[in-house]
Amino acid sequence: QKEVEQNSGPLSVPEGAIASLNCTYSDRGSQSFFWYRQYSGKSPELIMSIYSNGDKEDGRFTAQLNKASQYVSLLIRDSQPSDSATYLCAADSNYQLIWGAGTKLIIKP
Amino acid sequence: DTGVSQDPRHKITKRGQNVTFRCDPISEHNRLYWYRQTLGQGPEFLTYFQNEAQLEKSRLLSDRFSAERPKGSFSTLEIQRTEQGDSAMYLCASSPWDSYGYTFGSGTRLTVV
C-alpha cells in the first residue's frame, strides 16, 4: 500500500514565525510532490510543487525534497493568520496523486 | 476560463436513490480526476480520465460507482443505490497532460440520509 504520512497536528505557530510542515512517502518511484492548502469546507488549492532534490522558494513558501530519505517539507516564513488551514502533501504514483491526511496549522496572532 | 466547475454544490438524497454529479474541467486540460474526501482525511482517488479514456479506476470502488467523460470534455460521476457511507465531498480536478499539479473544483457535498 503506497502511502503519504503527515503529522495531523494541530501545529500552533505565533504570527510572524516560521511554520515547518513535514511529510514522508513510501513509493520510491514518485517523481512529483505537491503541497496543497485547504481551508475548512473548501477544496484543496495548489501552493507548491517540487520535482528535484533541494529547495524551491516561492514568496514566503519554501518546499524541500530529499528523495533518499523520502521526505518532503514546507516552510512558511512570516506566518500570517490567513495561513491557518490544513496543509496536504501529495506524491504522484501511477497516474494519480497519493495524499496525506493533512496537517492542521494554526497561526496565533 | 473560470477554473474547474462542479455541479451541484450540495446534494441531499435518501438512501437507495441514484445521484449524478457533473464536472467541467479547465478547457485545455486533458486529464480529469474524481476524488472523494471525508472529514479529517486526504482526498481518496476514485477514477482518472485522459481525454475521453477512463485509464484508472480505484479498486476500492464498488460497481455502484460509474464515471463518464464523453468527447473528452465534461465528466459525470454517478452513484447508484446510495448508502450512508457514500456521504462525503466529491472533488473533481483537472490538469494538463504533462503535470500532476491539479486544479480542483469547489466540490459536491453529498449527504445520504
Side-chain angles (χ1 to χ4, degrees):
Chain A
Q1 178 76 0
K2 295 169 183 173
E3 295 181 330
V4 172
E5 300 283 344
Q6 295 181 255
N7 188 319
S8 62
L11 175 65
S12 185
V13 173
E15 183 176 357
I18 296 174
S20 177
L21 304 164
N22 305 312
C23 160
T24 59
Y25 61 94
S26 64
D27 185 0
R28 284 198 171 272
S30 294
Q31 297 294 319
S32 307
F33 305 88
F34 302 89
W35 284 99
Y36 284 77
R37 177 176 62 200
Q38 187 171 29
Y39 294 113
S40 180
K42 303 295 185 182
S43 59
E45 172 192 12
L46 178 64
I47 53 173
M48 288 289 288
S49 60
I50 188 164
Y51 306 100
S52 54
N53 280 329
D55 295 359
K56 178 182 177 183
E57 186 175 320
D58 183 1
R60 295 186 297 112
F61 299 97
T62 299
Q64 299 173 316
L65 173 61
N66 183 327
K67 290 186 178 180
S69 301
Q70 296 176 249
Y71 179 88
V72 191
S73 65
L74 179 71
L75 301 177
I76 307 174
R77 290 181 298 281
D78 188 23
S79 297
Q80 303 297 310
S82 59
D83 295 327
S84 297
T86 295
Y87 288 79
L88 297 163
C89 175
D92 74 293
S93 179
N94 295 333
Y95 298 115
Q96 58 173 289
L97 292 183
I98 306 298
W99 297 80
T103 298
K104 184 173 184 177
L105 176 65
I106 299 171
I107 306 299
K108 296 191 295 185
Chain B
D1 191 286
T2 57
V4 179
S5 178
Q6 290 189 247
D7 184 69
R9 293 292 301 275
H10 303 275
K11 179 71 177 179
I12 299 174
T13 191
K14 291 184 178 179
R15 189 173 51 190
Q17 297 294 305
N18 299 344
V19 294
T20 300
F21 309 142
R22 177 179 170 124
C23 172
D24 288 89
I26 293 172
S27 56
E28 59 267 29
H29 287 180
N30 61 357
R31 288 182 172 178
L32 186 148
Y33 301 82
W34 285 98
Y35 281 83
R36 176 173 67 184
Q37 188 177 27
T38 54
L39 194 63
Q41 299 298 315
E44 176 187 23
F45 173 76
L46 295 179
T47 193
Y48 157 59
F49 290 87
Q50 182 148 312
N51 299 313
E52 67 276 9
Q54 187 174 21
L55 297 185
E56 190 87 3
K57 181 176 178 181
S58 171
R59 291 190 296 272
L60 298 174
L61 286 189
S62 70
D63 291 339
R64 297 185 297 108
F65 288 72
S66 62
E68 294 182 339
R69 192 183 182 196
K71 303 178 183 178
S73 56
F74 72 92
S75 176
T76 58
L77 177 69
E78 181 182 18
I79 308 173
Q80 297 181 328
R81 304 181 303 282
T82 52
E83 301 172 356
Q84 285 191 318
D86 297 331
S87 295
M89 175 77 86
Y90 288 82
L91 295 166
C92 176
S94 69
S95 72
W97 70 271
D98 59 348
S99 171
Y100 288 101
Y102 302 167
T103 300
F104 280 93
S106 298
T108 294
R109 182 166 296 282
L110 173 66
T111 302
V112 182
V113 297

